[in-house]
Amino acid sequence: MKNDKRVWLYDTTLRDGAQREGISLSLEDKITIARELDRMGIPFIEGGWPGANPRDGQFFWKLHEEPLERAELVAFCSTRRPNVRAAEDKMLQAILAAKTRWVTIFGKSWDLHVTEGLKTTLEENLAMIRDTIEYLRSRGKRVIYDAEHWFDGYLQNPVHAIDTLKTAISAGAEWLVLCDTNGGTLPAEVSWIAGEVREKLAIDPDDENSPQLGIHAHNDAGVAVANSLAAVIEGARMVQGTINGYGERCGNANLCTLIPNLQVKMGYDCLETEQLTRLTETSRKVSEIVNLAPDEHAPFVGRSAFAHKGGIHVSAVAKNPLTYEHIAPEAIGNQRRIVISDQSGLSNVLSKASSFGIDLDKNDPTCRQILDRLKELESEGYQFEAAEASFELLLREALGQRQTMFDLKGFQVHCDMLRSESEAIATIKVTVKGEDLLEVAEGIGPVSALDKALRKALVKFYPEVAHFHLTDYKVRILDSGSGTEAKTRVLVESSNGHHRWTTVGVSSNILEASYRAVVEGIEYGLSILPRRSEEAGGRRQEAGGGDLVGSQISR
Ligand SMILES: CC(=O)SCCNC(=O)CCNC(=O)[C@H](O)C(C)(C)COP(=O)(O)OP(=O)(O)OC[C@H]1O[C@@H](n2cnc3c(N)ncnc32)[C@H](O)[C@@H]1OP(=O)(O)O
Ligand SMILES: CC(=O)C(=O)O
């Protein structure tokens, strides 16, 4: 199965990834992630350490009953303990009970760990590796051998380190994975050490009957991906890593970075082209399951990985994306985004307008007016980068396309701080379709009371308002030196259960800023959202179905 351009991916998100502080996976989480990785076409998925905890054992039994479709599920374990027969080691019994075809065994390469950690001799260390692998082979298992602390061990005592690998090979291991367990090795060291190992063990990366090298890098020096690539260049044919680089301490080599580098940049076969387009989705799904916010600036799969903000960049990208993009975002299932800010030029405005379905002509003086207004507002403290709904309202106003859905005459908010929960009452005066209305509502805090009072008034005329709610509220003090008179920027995220959109308000009165953002949020939901949904519906019909993919208002 091996060939000169194939690199075998080995995912350890469910074992080493779960060793990251802050991650705690349930059995269901593990199964969902395993199936996602299987769908993506990862050939080896390390599921955990059966015997280390009940959940990992159950995981393997569960997947034995309902197997993955394509991937090899791998059970992980250490070598037998010192001075115990392999057949009597409880952990090795547990790994057999996991009933996988493949097992990964980690053993010691660094004499420091043998004498200080295991408190045994170098001879016994070799015996532990040999007995464990021979025992597992005798029970029909195929073995991947993880050489823990390989690089530190090789630097300290290369003779013993090489002996451990020779022992693993003669006992029947098919893969020898060089682990940079402490994550402190640098790429140049990985290169020369991996090269020496290949020569000393006479490994031919192109010979399918030869044992092969792999790499398992930790990121403590921030170079886990670079180290993995260096090892591949030196002949390693297996790359171990985790989705989003999760892992103990600073994490493991990030497969979401490694895979596109290996496949798109270096021409290795890792995944089928179609499967590669699932990478961004898989990265985000896994971050959702492990309950960690995705890294928006992650290479390849981050939300900002193909976001263009500077006017010069946007102008060039509009002419040819290669000018500021190292690969096509679609190759890994990501998408290009244009960000609007005070660093924008006309190209940003045109591009953003086009994404709203508005065709503008660069020579139309209104475009320049919109850009000038944008910069003026940004200098006052507005920030449209995260508040695209407000930018669309601004744009439509300049084009004379902003619909008046209601006219707010004024409001009052009363806060009662004496009760155990801070309660607020808002009174609001608003004209809708020629009718004057006065409404009152209570809320936990003034912004919630204001929002409720406004929606209460509007719902009679616009029933869809009943489904709107605030999903996020962020306040930023812009000139903290001014104390309580400081200018505040408020970002409000609204939702109707299907879509989310963000609006912005700025004022030295926090209530005023909040009210502006809330009002724009409702206005956007009433006037622009239906239009966007209709357009998406039309596109769906044309395309024969699908979601609002790529819409500015769905995230
Ligand atoms: C580099 C890596 O990431 S390796 C994977 C690390 N992952 C984990 O440790 C997570 C799962 N681990 C666990 O649940 C527990 O540590 C267990 C069940 C494995 C062991 O628990 P315990 O028996 O209570 O031992 P404890 O965790 O205190 O110490 C680890 C023992 O394993 C021994 N050990 C470490 N590496 C090896 C090895 N390659 N081969 C054999 N024994 C080893 C240590 O010497 C120590 O033995 P000691 O108790 O005689 O000193
Ligand atoms: C085996 C392993 O996880 C390591 O050495 O880092």
Side-chain angles (χ1 to χ4, degrees), residues 95-113:
I95 204 173
L96 289 176
K99 295 190 173 154
T100 57
R101 275 200 323 156
W102 283 88
V103 293
T104 293
I105 293 300
F106 78 94
K108 304 293 186 198
S109 323
W110 191 358
D111 54 12
L112 173 86
H113 269 265

Side-chain angles (χ1 to χ4, degrees), residues 341-377:
S341 76
D342 63 353
Q343 296 189 55
S344 296
L346 280 180
S347 302
N348 299 61
V349 174
L350 257 62
S351 167
K352 210 73 232 166
S354 151
S355 74
F356 299 150
I358 303 170
D359 277 333
L360 290 180
D361 177 354
K362 204 168 187 172
N363 300 317
D364 179 347
T366 321
C367 291
R368 184 63 66 189
Q369 284 160 16
I370 293 168
L371 183 64
D372 290 346
R373 179 77 184 129
L374 165 73
K375 294 201 178 199
E376 191 185 310
L377 286 171

Side-chain angles (χ1 to χ4, degrees), residues 232-490:
V232 169
I233 291 168
E234 286 303 324
R237 287 291 172 262
M238 174 184 279
V239 168
Q240 299 194 350
T242 60
I243 297 295
N244 299 327
Y246 300 139
E248 186 120 13
R249 304 183 307 278
C250 312
N252 285 56
N254 187 346
L255 286 179
C256 297
T257 312
L258 264 170
I259 296 172
N261 276 325
L262 286 168
Q263 187 146 335
V264 182
K265 299 289 178 77
M266 295 163 77
Y268 287 100
D269 288 335
C270 300
L271 297 176
E272 283 161 23
T273 312
E274 177 66 22
Q275 291 166 330
L276 187 63
T277 62
R278 297 185 64 93
L279 191 69
T280 302
E281 189 187 337
T282 299
S283 158
R284 292 178 192 172
K285 261 192 197 162
V286 172
S287 72
E288 187 74 29
I289 296 167
V290 304
N291 201 20
L292 288 173
D295 176 359
E296 308 240 307
H297 303 276
F300 298 100
V301 294
R303 190 166 176 269
S304 297
F306 300 91
H308 304 287
K309 180 164 168 177
I312 303 282
H313 295 214
V314 176
S315 157
V317 164
K319 291 165 191 145
N320 183 342
L322 282 179
T323 50
Y324 283 97
E325 285 174 2
H326 67 135
I327 65 160
E330 300 78 27
I332 36 88
N334 207 341
Q335 62 186 122
R336 179 172 309 123
R337 291 174 47 248
I338 302 300
V339 177
I340 212 87
S341 76
D342 63 353
Q343 296 189 55
S344 296
L346 280 180
S347 302
N348 299 61
V349 174
L350 257 62
S351 167
K352 210 73 232 166
S354 151
S355 74
F356 299 150
I358 303 170
D359 277 333
L360 290 180
D361 177 354
K362 204 168 187 172
N363 300 317
D364 179 347
T366 321
C367 291
R368 184 63 66 189
Q369 284 160 16
I370 293 168
L371 183 64
D372 290 346
R373 179 77 184 129
L374 165 73
K375 294 201 178 199
E376 191 185 310
L377 286 171
E378 289 246 343
S379 78
E380 285 173 21
Y382 279 79
Q383 197 192 57
F384 291 95
E385 189 176 306
E388 290 185 0
S390 283
F391 181 67
E392 184 166 352
L393 289 171
L394 180 154
L395 198 113
R396 290 195 184 272
E397 183 165 327
L399 297 170
Q401 297 176 4
R402 188 165 173 172
Q403 276 176 276
T404 309
M405 309 302 289
F406 54 89
D407 185 13
L408 196 61
K409 300 289 185 196
F411 68 88
Q412 275 186 343
V413 182
H414 172 77
C415 292
D416 183 351
M417 306 303 288
L418 294 176
R419 305 212 194 162
S420 55
E421 234 182 16
S422 143
E423 262 184 25
I425 298 177
T427 310
I428 202 155
K429 204 170 169 191
V430 62
T431 305
V432 194
K433 299 187 178 173
E435 197 173 319
D436 289 334
L437 300 160
L438 188 65
E439 280 298 351
V440 180
E442 276 185 311
I444 304 173
V447 179
S448 134
L450 247 179
D451 175 53
K452 283 186 181 164
L454 183 56
R455 285 194 290 120
K456 209 169 156 189
L458 297 179
V459 77
K460 298 164 197 159
F461 298 87
Y462 306 112
E464 63 268 42
V465 164
H467 304 292
F468 293 0
H469 53 274
L470 297 189
T471 46
D472 202 1
Y473 174 77
K474 287 192 194 116
V475 179
R476 173 98 189 259
I477 307 299
L478 299 174
D479 48 349
S480 51
S482 310
T484 51
E485 289 179 9
K487 216 177 226 187
T488 350
R489 174 168 61 227
V490 170

Side-chain angles (χ1 to χ4, degrees), residues 15-16 19 49 51-53 56 76-82 89 91 105-108 113 116-119 125 128 132 145 148-149 179 181 216 218 248-249:
R15 199 274 303 170
D16 222 349
Q19 285 177 217
W49 185 336
N53 60 70
D56 280 10
F76 177 87
C77 186
S78 71
T79 54
R80 69 161 170 80
R81 298 223 169 181
D89 190 299
M91 287 295 180
I105 293 300
F106 78 94
K108 304 293 186 198
H113 269 265
E116 306 270 322
L118 297 176
K119 298 265 181 250
N125 185 41
M128 287 160 68
T132 307
Y145 177 68
E148 195 192 7
H149 294 108
C179 300
T181 308
H216 172 115
H218 278 266
E248 186 120 13
R249 304 183 307 278

Side-chain angles (χ1 to χ4, degrees), residues 2-22:
K2 298 170 192 128
N3 71 42
D4 59 344
K5 273 296 188 185
R6 176 84 201 240
V7 167
W8 296 83
L9 300 173
Y10 180 110
D11 180 280
T12 175
T13 307
L14 299 175
R15 199 274 303 170
D16 222 349
Q19 285 177 217
R20 174 186 156 131
E21 188 175 9

